[in-house]
Amino acid sequence: MKHDNKNIMVVLSSPSGAGKTTITKKIQQKFSSFKISVSHTTRKPRPNEVNGVDYHFINSEKFKFLINENKLYEHAKIFDNYYGTSKEIVDNLIKTNDIIFDIDWQGNQQLSKYKNLNLVKIFITTKNKEEVKNRLMKRNQDSKEEVKKRLMSFEEDIKHWDDYDYIVTNDDLENCFKQIENIILLHKKPIIFPRTIQ
Ligand code: ADP
Ligand code: 5GP
């Protein structure tokens, strides 16, 4: 479908634990125009996650159906589970909102093929891998095995930084958010109408 250019789509990717979820929430608090693209996943919900809010939690059969029916803009297998972005959800949201996508580098590459989407692609990183490890342990929402898998994908994740328009380090959260806020404001320039000549 044709998307209206005045609404933007901000893609946030990072190694797991670098701060995408935290920053996504801050963007929504600051800019009421932003809605999150709630992905579908075959992953099991974490204790604090709500179906339809954090993800649409579905089984593999339903996920395969969405792929076969061409209902997804993009999808990827990550840490042994499937994750994907619904075309219907995005096409409806973009009519009246800006959108944030919390997706990985594979999803970013697939979305980038749609030239009609007004994407602003931001890669978030941390000063080093140790910091991600500390945050994942502190978050304490994944099993040891899950944390290990997430850390193992760190090198693969950061290899793809070059696919993005902006790279921001999430060292100090407020500082990082300020940079992201500036990026958003740059792309949400007010539309200037030409003055009529009198
Ligand atoms: P992601 O969504 O990328 O996996 P999260 O947003 O869940 O990452 O952040 C992982 C953990 O790190 C959370 O506990 C979060 O509160 C914490 N965190 C996020 N940003 C920072 C930061 N700048 N400094 C310290 N801790 C942070
Ligand atoms: P988590 O299990 O921690 O919620 O997410 C794991 C990874 O999946 C994160 O890198 C997150 O950005 C990514 N992810 C979440 N939803 C999607 C999606 O719809 N598509 C893709 N490609 N990645 C996603």
Side-chain angles (χ1 to χ4, degrees), residues 32-169:
S32 57
S33 62
F34 274 93
K35 294 268 189 276
I36 298 174
S37 158
V38 179
S39 299
H40 287 70
T41 184
T42 59
R43 167 165 82 61
K44 295 277 165 285
R46 294 176 181 137
N48 63 335
E49 286 180 327
V50 177
N51 189 27
V53 175
D54 298 288
Y55 282 103
H56 298 284
F57 294 98
I58 58 174
N59 61 27
S60 305
E61 283 68 45
K62 282 194 184 145
F63 203 97
K64 276 181 203 144
F65 173 82
L66 294 179
I67 298 174
N68 292 339
E69 295 292 310
N70 198 21
K71 301 273 187 204
L72 301 175
Y73 268 122
E74 61 77 32
H75 65 276
K77 191 175 183 194
I78 309 164
F79 315 129
D80 300 331
N81 285 302
Y82 287 93
Y83 296 78
T85 301
S86 154
K87 286 183 180 171
E88 191 183 345
I89 292 176
V90 169
D91 290 346
N92 279 327
L93 277 182
I94 200 64
K95 289 177 193 160
T96 46
N97 293 280
D98 299 303
I99 305 183
I100 317 169
F101 296 90
D102 173 343
I103 60 175
D104 83 331
W105 60 270
Q106 303 172 81
N108 177 57
Q109 285 186 348
Q110 292 170 48
L111 270 191
S112 300
K113 291 187 183 142
Y114 292 87
K115 297 300 173 202
N116 59 327
L117 305 184
N118 197 8
L119 300 174
V120 180
K121 300 181 269 184
I122 306 175
F123 190 81
I124 298 164
T125 182
T126 52
K127 57 186 172 199
N128 53 39
K129 187 174 173 180
E130 196 57 27
E131 181 61 28
V132 163
K133 185 179 175 189
N134 292 341
R135 289 185 193 175
L136 286 174
M137 310 243 283
K138 203 173 123 213
R139 186 169 75 183
N140 199 22
Q141 284 182 351
D142 300 297
S143 64
K144 274 200 179 133
E145 205 46 49
E146 277 294 315
V147 169
K148 213 165 138 192
K149 273 191 228 163
R150 280 156 200 271
L151 280 174
M152 269 164 51
S153 78
F154 180 91
E155 277 80 14
E156 182 64 36
D157 289 333
I158 57 168
K159 257 192 220 161
H160 300 277
W161 63 269
D162 204 21
D163 294 341
Y164 295 78
D165 303 313
Y166 301 94
I167 320 291
V168 180
T169 303

Side-chain angles (χ1 to χ4, degrees), residues 3-42:
H3 285 194
D4 186 338
N5 280 350
K6 80 176 167 23
N7 292 332
I8 62 172
M9 298 180 161
V10 173
V11 175
L12 290 184
S13 302
S14 78
S16 183
K20 290 178 303 292
T21 311
T22 310
I23 291 162
T24 297
K25 289 188 178 143
K26 284 177 83 67
I27 294 174
Q28 278 204 299
Q29 280 160 10
K30 180 86 192 191
F31 300 96
S32 57
S33 62
F34 274 93
K35 294 268 189 276
I36 298 174
S37 158
V38 179
S39 299
H40 287 70
T41 184
T42 59

